[in-house]
Amino acid sequence: MTLLPVPLPVDMAGEPLRVVVREGQAGDTSLHTHACGQLLYPERGATLLQTGHHLVRLGPSRAAWIPPDLPHAVLMERPYRYHSVYIDAAVYAEPAFAVTGISPLLRELIFDAGRWDASHADASSRHWKTRVILDEIRRAPRVAAGLPIPEDARIAQICRALEADPSDGRTLAQWAAQAGASEKTMQRIFVKLTGLSFQQWRNHARMTRALELHGQGRRMLDIAVELGYSSEGAYSHAFRQFYGYSPSQLKRRKAETP
């Protein structure tokens, strides 16, 4: 049975833009929609955003623009704090889902907007700051919108499981047996619908997660174990094959980036 998204109303309190801050230890929201647009920005913690066609991991350097009425679900792993910037569709209603970079200015504006009610910001100040926020959202650089999730239920199940747990070591043959299909058939459908083989998709999910874990300052051995590699050496080799340089070079490359 296919789950239908639940429409969740947002109290805009008569404002064109409203920021709601949520935090906790871990949690998730079921598939739902909003009549307004939403910029989802995680200040802390790992946020996994799921739409009908994408799985996106968000960190403090990225946000997701969710158009009005787009079904989505959110999973927060570990302690989290995130900001939902709700925007009236009459003010800004970009129809395409997008993942964007977050400039220091936009981040501070989001934090400020979350304090408007508590600080009793006047109408004029809110008006001008809203205009700047909308302009910054329009100007924000778009980045890759996560990994593709095909509509085929058998392949989608595999993709979601691997993104949620990249260390899942089940082979395609095991997944195929669970789905009641042959391994050859599943591989053919995988390539046709995602443009990647099963092994490539899983590797992409692992390597995307790897950057997030390195960004958290995790030890290489811990990252290797969390991603399902048998040893630190095996992980380092896979990382080098994917990115063209070793994990130990990450900090140096970041420092060299202008």
Side-chain angles (χ1 to χ4, degrees), residues 125-154:
S125 174
R126 294 183 185 216
H127 170 75
W128 289 109
K129 288 180 179 179
T130 293
R131 291 187 61 178
V132 178
I133 290 173
L134 296 180
D135 187 54
E136 283 296 301
I137 292 174
R138 291 188 185 98
R139 291 157 48 91
R142 268 46 178 176
V143 298
L147 294 169
I149 300 296
E151 293 184 359
D152 185 286
R154 297 167 297 180

Short mmCIF file of all heavy atoms in Angstrom, two decimals, residues 125-154:
data_model
loop_
_atom_site.label_atom_id
_atom_site.label_comp_id
_atom_site.label_asym_id
_atom_site.label_seq_id
_atom_site.Cartn_x
_atom_site.Cartn_y
_atom_site.Cartn_z
N SER A 125 11.20 46.38 9.80
CA SER A 125 12.42 45.58 9.84
C SER A 125 12.17 44.20 9.23
O SER A 125 12.98 43.71 8.44
CB SER A 125 12.90 45.43 11.28
OG SER A 125 14.00 44.55 11.36
N ARG A 126 11.05 43.57 9.57
CA ARG A 126 10.72 42.25 9.02
C ARG A 126 10.59 42.32 7.50
O ARG A 126 11.03 41.43 6.78
CB ARG A 126 9.43 41.73 9.64
CG ARG A 126 9.52 41.42 11.12
CD ARG A 126 8.21 40.84 11.62
NE ARG A 126 8.22 40.65 13.07
CZ ARG A 126 7.64 39.63 13.69
NH1 ARG A 126 6.98 38.72 13.00
NH2 ARG A 126 7.69 39.53 14.99
N HIS A 127 9.94 43.38 7.02
CA HIS A 127 9.71 43.53 5.59
C HIS A 127 11.02 43.57 4.82
O HIS A 127 11.20 42.84 3.83
CB HIS A 127 8.91 44.82 5.33
CG HIS A 127 8.82 45.19 3.88
ND1 HIS A 127 7.99 44.52 3.00
CD2 HIS A 127 9.47 46.14 3.15
CE1 HIS A 127 8.12 45.04 1.80
NE2 HIS A 127 9.02 46.02 1.86
N TRP A 128 11.94 44.43 5.25
CA TRP A 128 13.19 44.56 4.53
C TRP A 128 14.07 43.32 4.67
O TRP A 128 14.73 42.91 3.70
CB TRP A 128 13.93 45.82 5.00
CG TRP A 128 13.26 47.06 4.55
CD1 TRP A 128 12.57 47.97 5.29
CD2 TRP A 128 13.16 47.53 3.18
NE1 TRP A 128 12.04 48.97 4.49
CE2 TRP A 128 12.39 48.73 3.20
CE3 TRP A 128 13.64 47.05 1.96
CZ2 TRP A 128 12.11 49.43 2.04
CZ3 TRP A 128 13.37 47.76 0.81
CH2 TRP A 128 12.60 48.94 0.85
N LYS A 129 14.09 42.73 5.84
CA LYS A 129 14.88 41.50 6.02
C LYS A 129 14.31 40.35 5.20
O LYS A 129 15.06 39.53 4.67
CB LYS A 129 14.96 41.14 7.50
CG LYS A 129 15.86 42.07 8.30
CD LYS A 129 15.91 41.68 9.77
CE LYS A 129 16.84 42.61 10.55
NZ LYS A 129 16.87 42.26 11.99
N THR A 130 13.00 40.27 5.08
CA THR A 130 12.37 39.24 4.26
C THR A 130 12.82 39.39 2.81
O THR A 130 13.12 38.40 2.13
CB THR A 130 10.83 39.34 4.34
OG1 THR A 130 10.41 39.00 5.67
CG2 THR A 130 10.17 38.39 3.35
N ARG A 131 12.86 40.63 2.32
CA ARG A 131 13.28 40.86 0.94
C ARG A 131 14.72 40.41 0.72
O ARG A 131 15.06 39.80 -0.31
CB ARG A 131 13.15 42.35 0.59
CG ARG A 131 11.71 42.82 0.50
CD ARG A 131 11.60 44.24 -0.01
NE ARG A 131 12.17 44.39 -1.36
CZ ARG A 131 12.16 45.52 -2.05
NH1 ARG A 131 11.61 46.61 -1.53
NH2 ARG A 131 12.67 45.57 -3.26
N VAL A 132 15.58 40.65 1.72
CA VAL A 132 16.98 40.23 1.59
C VAL A 132 17.08 38.71 1.64
O VAL A 132 17.84 38.10 0.86
CB VAL A 132 17.84 40.85 2.71
CG1 VAL A 132 19.29 40.37 2.59
CG2 VAL A 132 17.81 42.38 2.62
N ILE A 133 16.32 38.07 2.52
CA ILE A 133 16.33 36.60 2.61
C ILE A 133 15.91 35.98 1.29
O ILE A 133 16.54 35.05 0.77
CB ILE A 133 15.42 36.11 3.76
CG1 ILE A 133 16.02 36.48 5.11
CG2 ILE A 133 15.20 34.59 3.67
CD1 ILE A 133 15.11 36.20 6.29
N LEU A 134 14.83 36.48 0.71
CA LEU A 134 14.34 35.95 -0.57
C LEU A 134 15.38 36.15 -1.67
O LEU A 134 15.59 35.26 -2.51
CB LEU A 134 13.02 36.61 -0.96
CG LEU A 134 11.84 36.35 -0.02
CD1 LEU A 134 10.60 37.07 -0.53
CD2 LEU A 134 11.57 34.85 0.10
N ASP A 135 16.04 37.28 -1.66
CA ASP A 135 17.07 37.54 -2.66
C ASP A 135 18.25 36.59 -2.49
O ASP A 135 18.79 36.08 -3.48
CB ASP A 135 17.54 38.99 -2.55
CG ASP A 135 18.50 39.37 -3.68
OD1 ASP A 135 18.13 39.17 -4.85
OD2 ASP A 135 19.61 39.85 -3.39
N GLU A 136 18.63 36.33 -1.23
CA GLU A 136 19.74 35.41 -0.97
C GLU A 136 19.38 33.97 -1.38
O GLU A 136 20.23 33.23 -1.87
CB GLU A 136 20.12 35.45 0.51
CG GLU A 136 20.94 36.67 0.89
CD GLU A 136 22.28 36.70 0.20
OE1 GLU A 136 23.06 35.74 0.37
OE2 GLU A 136 22.55 37.66 -0.53
N ILE A 137 18.12 33.58 -1.18
CA ILE A 137 17.68 32.24 -1.60
C ILE A 137 17.75 32.13 -3.12
O ILE A 137 18.20 31.12 -3.67
CB ILE A 137 16.26 31.95 -1.10
CG1 ILE A 137 16.26 31.82 0.43
CG2 ILE A 137 15.72 30.67 -1.73
CD1 ILE A 137 14.88 31.67 1.04
N ARG A 138 17.32 33.18 -3.81
CA ARG A 138 17.37 33.16 -5.28
C ARG A 138 18.81 33.07 -5.78
O ARG A 138 19.10 32.42 -6.77
CB ARG A 138 16.72 34.42 -5.84
CG ARG A 138 15.22 34.52 -5.64
CD ARG A 138 14.65 35.72 -6.39
NE ARG A 138 13.23 35.88 -6.11
CZ ARG A 138 12.73 36.74 -5.23
NH1 ARG A 138 13.56 37.50 -4.52
NH2 ARG A 138 11.43 36.83 -5.03
N ARG A 139 19.73 33.76 -5.08
CA ARG A 139 21.12 33.83 -5.50
C ARG A 139 21.95 32.63 -5.06
O ARG A 139 23.06 32.43 -5.56
CB ARG A 139 21.76 35.10 -4.95
CG ARG A 139 21.24 36.39 -5.55
CD ARG A 139 21.47 37.58 -4.63
NE ARG A 139 22.81 37.63 -4.09
CZ ARG A 139 23.83 38.28 -4.66
NH1 ARG A 139 23.62 38.93 -5.79
NH2 ARG A 139 25.02 38.30 -4.11
N ALA A 140 21.44 31.84 -4.13
CA ALA A 140 22.21 30.74 -3.56
C ALA A 140 22.60 29.74 -4.65
O ALA A 140 21.78 29.37 -5.48
CB ALA A 140 21.41 30.04 -2.47
N PRO A 141 23.85 29.28 -4.65
CA PRO A 141 24.29 28.32 -5.68
C PRO A 141 23.59 26.98 -5.51
O PRO A 141 23.45 26.48 -4.40
CB PRO A 141 25.79 28.20 -5.42
CG PRO A 141 25.96 28.58 -3.98
CD PRO A 141 24.93 29.63 -3.71
N ARG A 142 23.13 26.43 -6.62
CA ARG A 142 22.51 25.10 -6.60
C ARG A 142 23.59 24.03 -6.65
O ARG A 142 24.57 24.17 -7.37
CB ARG A 142 21.58 24.93 -7.80
CG ARG A 142 20.12 25.31 -7.59
CD ARG A 142 19.92 26.62 -6.88
NE ARG A 142 18.49 26.97 -6.75
CZ ARG A 142 18.03 28.00 -6.11
NH1 ARG A 142 18.89 28.82 -5.51
NH2 ARG A 142 16.75 28.25 -6.03
N VAL A 143 23.39 22.97 -5.87
CA VAL A 143 24.31 21.84 -5.87
C VAL A 143 23.54 20.58 -6.22
O VAL A 143 22.31 20.60 -6.33
CB VAL A 143 25.02 21.69 -4.50
CG1 VAL A 143 25.85 22.92 -4.19
CG2 VAL A 143 24.00 21.45 -3.39
N ALA A 144 24.26 19.48 -6.41
CA ALA A 144 23.61 18.23 -6.80
C ALA A 144 22.52 17.86 -5.80
O ALA A 144 22.74 17.86 -4.59
CB ALA A 144 24.65 17.12 -6.88
N ALA A 145 21.34 17.53 -6.34
CA ALA A 145 20.17 17.29 -5.49
C ALA A 145 20.07 15.84 -5.03
O ALA A 145 19.05 15.18 -5.18
CB ALA A 145 18.90 17.69 -6.24
N GLY A 146 21.15 15.32 -4.47
CA GLY A 146 21.10 13.99 -3.88
C GLY A 146 21.12 12.88 -4.91
O GLY A 146 21.31 13.09 -6.11
N LEU A 147 20.90 11.67 -4.44
CA LEU A 147 20.92 10.50 -5.30
C LEU A 147 19.52 10.23 -5.85
O LEU A 147 18.53 10.40 -5.15
CB LEU A 147 21.39 9.28 -4.50
CG LEU A 147 22.86 9.34 -4.04
CD1 LEU A 147 23.13 8.22 -3.05
CD2 LEU A 147 23.78 9.22 -5.24
N PRO A 148 19.43 9.80 -7.11
CA PRO A 148 18.12 9.57 -7.71
C PRO A 148 17.43 8.33 -7.14
O PRO A 148 18.06 7.30 -6.91
CB PRO A 148 18.44 9.37 -9.20
CG PRO A 148 19.84 8.84 -9.21
CD PRO A 148 20.52 9.53 -8.06
N ILE A 149 16.13 8.44 -6.90
CA ILE A 149 15.32 7.31 -6.44
C ILE A 149 14.30 6.98 -7.52
O ILE A 149 13.41 7.79 -7.79
CB ILE A 149 14.58 7.64 -5.12
CG1 ILE A 149 15.58 7.98 -4.02
CG2 ILE A 149 13.71 6.46 -4.69
CD1 ILE A 149 16.49 6.86 -3.63
N PRO A 150 14.42 5.84 -8.17
CA PRO A 150 13.49 5.50 -9.25
C PRO A 150 12.11 5.12 -8.72
O PRO A 150 11.95 4.84 -7.53
CB PRO A 150 14.17 4.31 -9.93
CG PRO A 150 14.99 3.68 -8.85
CD PRO A 150 15.46 4.82 -7.98
N GLU A 151 11.14 5.10 -9.62
CA GLU A 151 9.77 4.79 -9.21
C GLU A 151 9.55 3.29 -9.02
O GLU A 151 8.61 2.89 -8.35
CB GLU A 151 8.78 5.34 -10.25
CG GLU A 151 8.77 6.87 -10.30
CD GLU A 151 7.72 7.40 -11.25
OE1 GLU A 151 7.03 6.58 -11.89
OE2 GLU A 151 7.60 8.63 -11.38
N ASP A 152 10.38 2.44 -9.61
CA ASP A 152 10.26 1.00 -9.43
C ASP A 152 10.41 0.67 -7.95
O ASP A 152 11.44 0.95 -7.33
CB ASP A 152 11.32 0.27 -10.26
CG ASP A 152 11.16 -1.23 -10.21
OD1 ASP A 152 11.49 -1.83 -9.16
OD2 ASP A 152 10.70 -1.82 -11.21
N ALA A 153 9.38 0.07 -7.36
CA ALA A 153 9.36 -0.16 -5.90
C ALA A 153 10.51 -1.05 -5.44
O ALA A 153 11.05 -0.84 -4.35
CB ALA A 153 8.02 -0.78 -5.50
N ARG A 154 10.91 -2.02 -6.26
CA ARG A 154 11.99 -2.93 -5.86
C ARG A 154 13.32 -2.20 -5.76
O ARG A 154 14.07 -2.38 -4.79
CB ARG A 154 12.10 -4.09 -6.86
CG ARG A 154 10.85 -4.97 -6.93
CD ARG A 154 10.90 -5.89 -8.14
NE ARG A 154 10.91 -5.11 -9.40
CZ ARG A 154 10.95 -5.67 -10.61
NH1 ARG A 154 11.00 -6.99 -10.73
NH2 ARG A 154 10.95 -4.91 -11.69
#
